[in-house]
Every structure is written in structure tokens, then in C-alpha cells.
Amino acid sequence: MQTDLKYVMISLVCLFGECMSLEEPKFNPVRTEDARCIDWSKTPLVPAVVQEQSGAVLMLAYVSEEAFNLTISKGYAHYFSRSRNKLWLKGETSGNLQRVIEVRVDCDNDALLYIVSQEGSGACHTGEYTCFYRKVWEA
Amino acid sequence: MQTDLKYVMISLVCLFGECMSLEEPKFNPVRTEDARCIDWSKTPLVPAVVQEQSGAVLMLAYVSEEAFNLTISKGYAHYFSRSRNKLWLKGETSGNLQRVIEVRVDCDNDALLYIVSQEGSGACHTGEYTCFYRKVWEA
């Protein structure tokens, strides 16, 4: 009898926990005033520098307002592909998603910096880890 | 007499040294094949991510072919100002020059990465060290 009661209690706690986690948002963004600084009508596609926490610059991509909003609501980097003319979840097909840790905006409100955790084999479609794998000049 | 001779000798050595340094190139660029990958007719203004060796991303600016060539011939970052519609030596008035250590190009040949040594008080016209000083979102 006691074991049954314990089981019921545990089940209730688990069920309550599950309900709680369903009610809570999966991702809890902390958005500041600065997020509204970007004038999307003036700059519909804002270049975003994509950097790992280690410091490595992985790529440069373009962000539409929709891509920006999806990025901060989902926590994964979304861009706008100029060549394919469509919204793009980075890594949707390759699995090389970019979990976004932080977003910064520049002084002119026309460039973004995404600090990301790169998943999978890297950022570049060539198979290289970063898109900036070629040195063209050095001092 | 010995002191005079010593003075003359030192002067000659200094003069010779000065002549040598005038004859030698101020800067010796090492440019690879990849430098010719950028199609300036297709992309007249290429965005350049500007990063310090420490990893800090300082700014994003645009580079014309002339700005690119000046950068690698002078060793200091030149950009093209879209708002002022003119070529721009970064730090020309403020003194906050950027000595360029390395230039990288991305996989699509339409973005550059300048690894620089920031001189003066920083990269941003606001007085902040980096232009990306505002956090707009964090996970």
C-alpha cells in the first residue's frame, strides 16, 4: 500500500514537472533596448559576423528581420540567403547548426555580431571549419 | 682629435643607415593567388570583418578594390565609406590606425577578414574600443 502511494506521488510529481516544463518557454531570451535599434526598413539585410567563443570568426552572413526574430526566439542562427533569396536555418540540412549565445549590434546599428557554439563538423559548406580558411595576404 | 673622428664615424654610420632604410621597402607584402579571387566588378564593396589577434571583433567595414590595394601596399587598413562615399584610411584623423597583420577571404570570395593591431584608443568613433559594444540578446 505504501509502495503504491509512493508510486502515485512520484507519478504526480513527474506529471506536474512535465506540465511545468511544458508551460515554461523552452528558451528564455534576455532582450535589451538595443535590439530595437536596427532600422529594418533602412537596412533590410544586416551583415552578421559569426564568431565562436574561442574567438574564431566562422563566417559572414546576412540577417533579415524575420531571421533575427527567429534566431532570438529559437536560439539557433537563422540567416537570409541572398543567392537563394530565402530564409535559412543554418545547418538545417547539414546538421551544422549554430547555437547562439549572444548577439551584439555595432555603433551604427547596421551590423550584428553573433557569438555562437558551432555544432557538427563546422561552418563552411566546403568542409572547412571556418569560411575564412584562405589567407590572401600577410605582413 | 680622436673624439672628432669618432663623431665623424658615427655620423657616417647613421647617414649610411638612413640611406639603407630609405632604399629598402617600408613594407614587404606576401600576396597569394587567393588575393585575385575577389571579383570587384561583381562585388565593388566587400564587407571586411576587422579582428584583433586577441580575438576581439572590432568593427565591420567595406572595402573597395582601391582600398584593398592600398591596405596591402601600405600595411594599414583602408576602407570605403558608404556614407561619405569616399576612400578612407582608418585613423587618419583620430590616429587610431589599424596595422594589418593578415587578410583572409571567405569561401565565396565576397567577404574579407582583416587581422589587425589596433593603434590609439580603439576602433569605434564613439570612444569605445570595439564598435560591437552593445549586447542586444543573450541565451
mmCIF file of all heavy atoms in Angstrom, chain A residues 89-124:
data_model
loop_
_atom_site.group_PDB
_atom_site.id
_atom_site.type_symbol
_atom_site.label_atom_id
_atom_site.label_comp_id
_atom_site.label_asym_id
_atom_site.label_seq_id
_atom_site.Cartn_x
_atom_site.Cartn_y
_atom_site.Cartn_z
ATOM 1 N N LEU A 89 17.749 28.412 -42.032
ATOM 2 C CA LEU A 89 18.246 27.973 -40.724
ATOM 3 C C LEU A 89 19.594 27.322 -40.964
ATOM 4 O O LEU A 89 19.673 26.265 -41.629
ATOM 5 C CB LEU A 89 17.274 26.964 -40.072
ATOM 6 C CG LEU A 89 17.830 26.158 -38.890
ATOM 7 C CD1 LEU A 89 18.224 27.042 -37.722
ATOM 8 C CD2 LEU A 89 16.819 25.099 -38.439
ATOM 9 N N LYS A 90 20.647 27.942 -40.488
ATOM 10 C CA LYS A 90 21.999 27.412 -40.698
ATOM 11 C C LYS A 90 22.095 25.995 -40.157
ATOM 12 O O LYS A 90 21.769 25.768 -38.981
ATOM 13 C CB LYS A 90 23.013 28.336 -39.993
ATOM 14 C CG LYS A 90 24.425 27.797 -39.912
ATOM 15 C CD LYS A 90 25.127 27.799 -41.240
ATOM 16 C CE LYS A 90 26.505 27.188 -41.142
ATOM 17 N NZ LYS A 90 27.072 26.900 -42.465
ATOM 18 N N GLY A 91 22.486 25.064 -41.011
ATOM 19 C CA GLY A 91 22.668 23.672 -40.586
ATOM 20 C C GLY A 91 21.415 22.835 -40.680
ATOM 21 O O GLY A 91 21.408 21.694 -40.218
ATOM 22 N N GLU A 92 20.364 23.387 -41.282
ATOM 23 C CA GLU A 92 19.087 22.658 -41.375
ATOM 24 C C GLU A 92 19.279 21.313 -42.089
ATOM 25 O O GLU A 92 18.709 20.307 -41.667
ATOM 26 C CB GLU A 92 18.047 23.511 -42.117
ATOM 27 C CG GLU A 92 16.644 22.958 -42.030
ATOM 28 C CD GLU A 92 15.602 23.916 -42.585
ATOM 29 O OE1 GLU A 92 15.971 24.802 -43.381
ATOM 30 O OE2 GLU A 92 14.417 23.782 -42.225
ATOM 31 N N THR A 93 20.047 21.317 -43.170
ATOM 32 C CA THR A 93 20.265 20.058 -43.894
ATOM 33 C C THR A 93 21.550 19.348 -43.449
ATOM 34 O O THR A 93 21.570 18.143 -43.312
ATOM 35 C CB THR A 93 20.308 20.290 -45.424
ATOM 36 O OG1 THR A 93 21.224 21.357 -45.705
ATOM 37 C CG2 THR A 93 18.947 20.650 -45.973
ATOM 38 N N SER A 94 22.602 20.124 -43.193
ATOM 39 C CA SER A 94 23.907 19.523 -42.835
ATOM 40 C C SER A 94 23.974 19.090 -41.372
ATOM 41 O O SER A 94 24.811 18.270 -41.002
ATOM 42 C CB SER A 94 25.030 20.520 -43.098
ATOM 43 O OG SER A 94 24.929 21.628 -42.212
ATOM 44 N N GLY A 95 23.109 19.635 -40.556
ATOM 45 C CA GLY A 95 23.178 19.365 -39.116
ATOM 46 C C GLY A 95 24.165 20.284 -38.398
ATOM 47 O O GLY A 95 24.275 20.241 -37.177
ATOM 48 N N ASN A 96 24.863 21.112 -39.157
ATOM 49 C CA ASN A 96 25.856 22.017 -38.569
ATOM 50 C C ASN A 96 25.191 23.304 -38.057
ATOM 51 O O ASN A 96 25.471 24.405 -38.528
ATOM 52 C CB ASN A 96 26.959 22.343 -39.582
ATOM 53 C CG ASN A 96 27.721 21.114 -40.018
ATOM 54 O OD1 ASN A 96 27.667 20.066 -39.361
ATOM 55 N ND2 ASN A 96 28.424 21.203 -41.130
ATOM 56 N N LEU A 97 24.306 23.110 -37.087
ATOM 57 C CA LEU A 97 23.577 24.236 -36.500
ATOM 58 C C LEU A 97 24.517 25.136 -35.714
ATOM 59 O O LEU A 97 25.600 24.710 -35.303
ATOM 60 C CB LEU A 97 22.492 23.699 -35.560
ATOM 61 C CG LEU A 97 21.370 22.872 -36.200
ATOM 62 C CD1 LEU A 97 20.679 22.023 -35.140
ATOM 63 C CD2 LEU A 97 20.343 23.769 -36.897
ATOM 64 N N GLN A 98 24.081 26.356 -35.502
ATOM 65 C CA GLN A 98 24.847 27.293 -34.672
ATOM 66 C C GLN A 98 23.972 27.757 -33.518
ATOM 67 O O GLN A 98 23.026 28.519 -33.718
ATOM 68 C CB GLN A 98 25.291 28.500 -35.510
ATOM 69 C CG GLN A 98 26.339 28.131 -36.547
ATOM 70 C CD GLN A 98 26.671 29.257 -37.489
ATOM 71 O OE1 GLN A 98 25.884 30.184 -37.674
ATOM 72 N NE2 GLN A 98 27.833 29.189 -38.112
ATOM 73 N N ARG A 99 24.299 27.263 -32.332
ATOM 74 C CA ARG A 99 23.549 27.693 -31.147
ATOM 75 C C ARG A 99 24.059 29.078 -30.761
ATOM 76 O O ARG A 99 25.262 29.279 -30.581
ATOM 77 C CB ARG A 99 23.746 26.690 -30.002
ATOM 78 C CG ARG A 99 22.846 26.958 -28.810
ATOM 79 C CD ARG A 99 22.824 25.759 -27.862
ATOM 80 N NE ARG A 99 24.161 25.360 -27.458
ATOM 81 C CZ ARG A 99 24.901 25.991 -26.531
ATOM 82 N NH1 ARG A 99 24.418 27.068 -25.912
ATOM 83 N NH2 ARG A 99 26.109 25.560 -26.226
ATOM 84 N N VAL A 100 23.126 30.015 -30.690
ATOM 85 C CA VAL A 100 23.544 31.406 -30.460
ATOM 86 C C VAL A 100 23.604 31.691 -28.960
ATOM 87 O O VAL A 100 22.665 31.418 -28.222
ATOM 88 C CB VAL A 100 22.607 32.393 -31.181
ATOM 89 C CG1 VAL A 100 23.063 33.826 -30.963
ATOM 90 C CG2 VAL A 100 22.588 32.090 -32.675
ATOM 91 N N ILE A 101 24.739 32.221 -28.555
ATOM 92 C CA ILE A 101 24.978 32.504 -27.144
ATOM 93 C C ILE A 101 24.709 33.975 -26.850
ATOM 94 O O ILE A 101 24.181 34.323 -25.801
ATOM 95 C CB ILE A 101 26.435 32.127 -26.792
ATOM 96 C CG1 ILE A 101 26.597 30.595 -26.902
ATOM 97 C CG2 ILE A 101 26.835 32.614 -25.416
ATOM 98 C CD1 ILE A 101 28.003 30.143 -27.146
ATOM 99 N N GLU A 102 25.039 34.812 -27.808
ATOM 100 C CA GLU A 102 24.948 36.259 -27.587
ATOM 101 C C GLU A 102 24.851 36.963 -28.932
ATOM 102 O O GLU A 102 25.441 36.519 -29.913
ATOM 103 C CB GLU A 102 26.230 36.689 -26.869
ATOM 104 C CG GLU A 102 26.208 38.053 -26.273
ATOM 105 C CD GLU A 102 27.525 38.345 -25.543
ATOM 106 O OE1 GLU A 102 27.937 37.546 -24.684
ATOM 107 O OE2 GLU A 102 28.140 39.368 -25.877
ATOM 108 N N VAL A 103 24.104 38.049 -28.967
ATOM 109 C CA VAL A 103 24.040 38.882 -30.174
ATOM 110 C C VAL A 103 24.436 40.305 -29.788
ATOM 111 O O VAL A 103 23.955 40.845 -28.787
ATOM 112 C CB VAL A 103 22.619 38.879 -30.800
ATOM 113 C CG1 VAL A 103 22.562 39.792 -32.020
ATOM 114 C CG2 VAL A 103 22.191 37.475 -31.191
ATOM 115 N N ARG A 104 25.329 40.876 -30.564
ATOM 116 C CA ARG A 104 25.744 42.266 -30.358
ATOM 117 C C ARG A 104 25.438 43.077 -31.604
ATOM 118 O O ARG A 104 25.372 42.539 -32.703
ATOM 119 C CB ARG A 104 27.245 42.340 -30.041
ATOM 120 C CG ARG A 104 27.589 41.752 -28.687
ATOM 121 C CD ARG A 104 29.061 41.773 -28.365
ATOM 122 N NE ARG A 104 29.263 41.442 -26.974
ATOM 123 C CZ ARG A 104 29.352 42.339 -25.987
ATOM 124 N NH1 ARG A 104 29.305 43.635 -26.258
ATOM 125 N NH2 ARG A 104 29.485 41.969 -24.736
ATOM 126 N N VAL A 105 25.242 44.375 -31.423
ATOM 127 C CA VAL A 105 24.996 45.273 -32.555
ATOM 128 C C VAL A 105 26.097 46.324 -32.565
ATOM 129 O O VAL A 105 26.653 46.655 -31.508
ATOM 130 C CB VAL A 105 23.582 45.911 -32.451
ATOM 131 C CG1 VAL A 105 23.496 46.909 -31.310
ATOM 132 C CG2 VAL A 105 23.169 46.574 -33.758
ATOM 133 N N ASP A 106 26.420 46.831 -33.738
ATOM 134 C CA ASP A 106 27.515 47.812 -33.780
ATOM 135 C C ASP A 106 26.990 49.235 -33.551
ATOM 136 O O ASP A 106 25.776 49.471 -33.459
ATOM 137 C CB ASP A 106 28.337 47.683 -35.074
ATOM 138 C CG ASP A 106 27.694 48.346 -36.260
ATOM 139 O OD1 ASP A 106 26.471 48.629 -36.216
ATOM 140 O OD2 ASP A 106 28.395 48.601 -37.251
ATOM 141 N N CYS A 107 27.913 50.164 -33.460
ATOM 142 C CA CYS A 107 27.597 51.558 -33.114
ATOM 143 C C CYS A 107 26.635 52.218 -34.096
ATOM 144 O O CYS A 107 25.854 53.090 -33.720
ATOM 145 C CB CYS A 107 28.893 52.369 -33.036
ATOM 146 S SG CYS A 107 29.924 52.181 -34.525
ATOM 147 N N ASP A 108 26.686 51.802 -35.360
ATOM 148 C CA ASP A 108 25.820 52.392 -36.393
ATOM 149 C C ASP A 108 24.515 51.623 -36.582
ATOM 150 O O ASP A 108 23.740 51.961 -37.484
ATOM 151 C CB ASP A 108 26.561 52.441 -37.739
ATOM 152 C CG ASP A 108 27.777 53.357 -37.683
ATOM 153 O OD1 ASP A 108 27.709 54.369 -36.963
ATOM 154 O OD2 ASP A 108 28.777 53.060 -38.372
ATOM 155 N N ASN A 109 24.294 50.608 -35.796
ATOM 156 C CA ASN A 109 23.090 49.770 -35.892
ATOM 157 C C ASN A 109 22.914 49.137 -37.263
ATOM 158 O O ASN A 109 21.780 48.915 -37.704
ATOM 159 C CB ASN A 109 21.833 50.593 -35.562
ATOM 160 C CG ASN A 109 21.915 51.264 -34.223
ATOM 161 O OD1 ASN A 109 22.249 50.626 -33.230
ATOM 162 N ND2 ASN A 109 21.622 52.557 -34.180
ATOM 163 N N ASP A 110 24.010 48.879 -37.939
ATOM 164 C CA ASP A 110 23.859 48.237 -39.250
ATOM 165 C C ASP A 110 24.778 47.022 -39.431
ATOM 166 O O ASP A 110 25.059 46.623 -40.571
ATOM 167 C CB ASP A 110 24.038 49.248 -40.393
ATOM 168 C CG ASP A 110 25.385 49.951 -40.357
ATOM 169 O OD1 ASP A 110 26.236 49.568 -39.546
ATOM 170 O OD2 ASP A 110 25.570 50.885 -41.158
ATOM 171 N N ALA A 111 25.226 46.470 -38.330
ATOM 172 C CA ALA A 111 25.969 45.210 -38.384
ATOM 173 C C ALA A 111 25.751 44.473 -37.074
ATOM 174 O O ALA A 111 25.591 45.092 -36.016
ATOM 175 C CB ALA A 111 27.460 45.461 -38.602
ATOM 176 N N LEU A 112 25.714 43.160 -37.158
ATOM 177 C CA LEU A 112 25.500 42.327 -35.977
ATOM 178 C C LEU A 112 26.694 41.418 -35.742
ATOM 179 O O LEU A 112 27.446 41.116 -36.679
ATOM 180 C CB LEU A 112 24.245 41.455 -36.161
ATOM 181 C CG LEU A 112 22.903 42.179 -36.169
ATOM 182 C CD1 LEU A 112 21.805 41.264 -36.715
ATOM 183 C CD2 LEU A 112 22.526 42.641 -34.757
ATOM 184 N N LEU A 113 26.838 41.014 -34.511
ATOM 185 C CA LEU A 113 27.851 40.013 -34.153
ATOM 186 C C LEU A 113 27.130 38.897 -33.412
ATOM 187 O O LEU A 113 26.509 39.147 -32.384
ATOM 188 C CB LEU A 113 28.939 40.649 -33.273
ATOM 189 C CG LEU A 113 30.024 39.722 -32.715
ATOM 190 C CD1 LEU A 113 30.840 39.058 -33.817
ATOM 191 C CD2 LEU A 113 30.972 40.505 -31.786
ATOM 192 N N TYR A 114 27.173 37.703 -34.007
ATOM 193 C CA TYR A 114 26.588 36.536 -33.356
ATOM 194 C C TYR A 114 27.727 35.755 -32.699
ATOM 195 O O TYR A 114 28.649 35.323 -33.386
ATOM 196 C CB TYR A 114 25.943 35.595 -34.384
ATOM 197 C CG TYR A 114 24.565 35.968 -34.881
ATOM 198 C CD1 TYR A 114 24.004 37.215 -34.654
ATOM 199 C CD2 TYR A 114 23.817 35.035 -35.597
ATOM 200 C CE1 TYR A 114 22.733 37.527 -35.131
ATOM 201 C CE2 TYR A 114 22.545 35.345 -36.065
ATOM 202 C CZ TYR A 114 22.011 36.585 -35.832
ATOM 203 O OH TYR A 114 20.759 36.891 -36.300
ATOM 204 N N ILE A 115 27.649 35.571 -31.407
ATOM 205 C CA ILE A 115 28.580 34.671 -30.724
ATOM 206 C C ILE A 115 27.869 33.323 -30.649
ATOM 207 O O ILE A 115 26.776 33.239 -30.069
ATOM 208 C CB ILE A 115 28.946 35.150 -29.299
ATOM 209 C CG1 ILE A 115 29.374 36.632 -29.297
ATOM 210 C CG2 ILE A 115 30.012 34.250 -28.683
ATOM 211 C CD1 ILE A 115 30.692 36.933 -29.922
ATOM 212 N N VAL A 116 28.468 32.312 -31.261
ATOM 213 C CA VAL A 116 27.778 31.028 -31.395
ATOM 214 C C VAL A 116 28.610 29.859 -30.888
ATOM 215 O O VAL A 116 29.822 29.954 -30.738
ATOM 216 C CB VAL A 116 27.398 30.744 -32.876
ATOM 217 C CG1 VAL A 116 26.583 31.883 -33.467
ATOM 218 C CG2 VAL A 116 28.634 30.440 -33.726
ATOM 219 N N SER A 117 27.894 28.767 -30.672
ATOM 220 C CA SER A 117 28.544 27.481 -30.456
ATOM 221 C C SER A 117 28.253 26.666 -31.712
ATOM 222 O O SER A 117 27.098 26.340 -31.992
ATOM 223 C CB SER A 117 27.960 26.821 -29.209
ATOM 224 O OG SER A 117 28.447 25.515 -29.098
ATOM 225 N N GLN A 118 29.307 26.396 -32.465
ATOM 226 C CA GLN A 118 29.138 25.677 -33.738
ATOM 227 C C GLN A 118 28.931 24.191 -33.472
ATOM 228 O O GLN A 118 29.728 23.575 -32.776
ATOM 229 C CB GLN A 118 30.386 25.899 -34.608
ATOM 230 C CG GLN A 118 30.380 25.154 -35.927
ATOM 231 C CD GLN A 118 29.299 25.666 -36.872
ATOM 232 O OE1 GLN A 118 29.224 26.845 -37.163
ATOM 233 N NE2 GLN A 118 28.452 24.773 -37.351
ATOM 234 N N GLU A 119 27.893 23.632 -34.049
ATOM 235 C CA GLU A 119 27.657 22.196 -33.902
ATOM 236 C C GLU A 119 28.093 21.474 -35.170
ATOM 237 O O GLU A 119 28.321 22.107 -36.202
ATOM 238 C CB GLU A 119 26.172 21.940 -33.599
ATOM 239 C CG GLU A 119 25.746 22.607 -32.291
ATOM 240 C CD GLU A 119 24.312 22.308 -31.870
ATOM 241 O OE1 GLU A 119 23.583 21.610 -32.609
ATOM 242 O OE2 GLU A 119 23.923 22.796 -30.796
ATOM 243 N N GLY A 120 28.237 20.172 -35.095
ATOM 244 C CA GLY A 120 28.623 19.373 -36.264
ATOM 245 C C GLY A 120 30.068 19.580 -36.649
ATOM 246 O O GLY A 120 30.926 19.802 -35.800
ATOM 247 N N SER A 121 30.312 19.525 -37.966
ATOM 248 C CA SER A 121 31.700 19.496 -38.460
ATOM 249 C C SER A 121 32.275 20.866 -38.776
ATOM 250 O O SER A 121 33.428 20.976 -39.179
ATOM 251 C CB SER A 121 31.775 18.610 -39.704
ATOM 252 O OG SER A 121 30.888 19.110 -40.696
ATOM 253 N N GLY A 122 31.475 21.914 -38.653
ATOM 254 C CA GLY A 122 32.000 23.256 -38.924
ATOM 255 C C GLY A 122 30.993 24.128 -39.631
ATOM 256 O O GLY A 122 29.865 23.711 -39.892
ATOM 257 N N ALA A 123 31.435 25.336 -39.956
ATOM 258 C CA ALA A 123 30.521 26.339 -40.505
ATOM 259 C C ALA A 123 30.496 26.365 -42.032
ATOM 260 O O ALA A 123 29.508 26.783 -42.626
ATOM 261 C CB ALA A 123 30.914 27.722 -39.984
ATOM 262 N N CYS A 124 31.574 25.941 -42.674
ATOM 263 C CA CYS A 124 31.708 26.176 -44.108
ATOM 264 C C CYS A 124 31.169 25.019 -44.947
ATOM 265 O O CYS A 124 31.393 23.850 -44.617
ATOM 266 C CB CYS A 124 33.175 26.444 -44.444
ATOM 267 S SG CYS A 124 33.408 27.028 -46.129
#
